[in-house]
């Protein structure tokens, strides 16, 4: 091949998680219902563990970085990932 130029490697990926918790008993049919009733800043939830698995494995807890209800998985190599929320032992 003439004048072949190797393409650049993929940049690292980031997954951002925002956790909201609704009042007990809340039921919704559409995502818009959830946002209208539980999408306020007062519903952001700290202390929830999330894990990603795939090309890399990481664990993050919402609120641990100082941002209420948020967690970020950073510097993930290119690939497929599964995101899982761990059920609290008190649930």
């Amino acid at each position: 091949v003439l004048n072949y130029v190797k393409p650049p490697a993929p940049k690292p990926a980031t997954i951002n998680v925002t956790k909201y918790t609704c009042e007990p008993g809340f039921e919704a049919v559409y995502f818009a219902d959830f946002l209208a009733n539980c999408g306020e800043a007062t519903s952001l939830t700290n202390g929830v563990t999330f894990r990603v698995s795939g090309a890399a494995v990481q664990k993050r807890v919402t609120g641990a970085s100082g941002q209420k209800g948020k967690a970020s998985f950073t510097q993930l190599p290119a690939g497929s990932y599964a995101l899982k929320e761990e059920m609290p032992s008190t649930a």
Side-chain angles (χ1 to χ4, degrees):
V1 175
L2 295 173
N3 299 325
Y4 173 76
V5 176
K6 184 177 178 181
K11 293 181 180 179
T14 299
I15 298 172
N16 294 315
V17 177
T18 304
K19 175 66 178 175
Y20 293 92
T21 302
C22 295
E23 292 294 322
F26 174 77
E27 294 183 26
V29 176
Y30 299 103
F31 185 67
D33 294 336
F34 169 79
L35 285 179
N37 291 282
C38 306
E40 299 294 324
T42 56
S43 298
L44 289 168
T45 308
N46 287 338
V48 180
T49 302
F50 287 87
R51 293 182 185 268
V52 292
S53 58
V57 177
Q58 293 183 11
K59 174 179 121 177
R60 297 288 185 269
V61 178
T62 57
S65 66
Q67 290 186 314
K68 186 174 181 184
K70 297 184 184 252
S72 291
F73 298 89
T74 59
Q75 297 298 313
L76 297 170
S80 296
Y81 290 91
L83 175 67
K84 182 179 179 185
E85 177 182 352
E86 291 186 355
M87 185 66 80
S89 59
T90 57

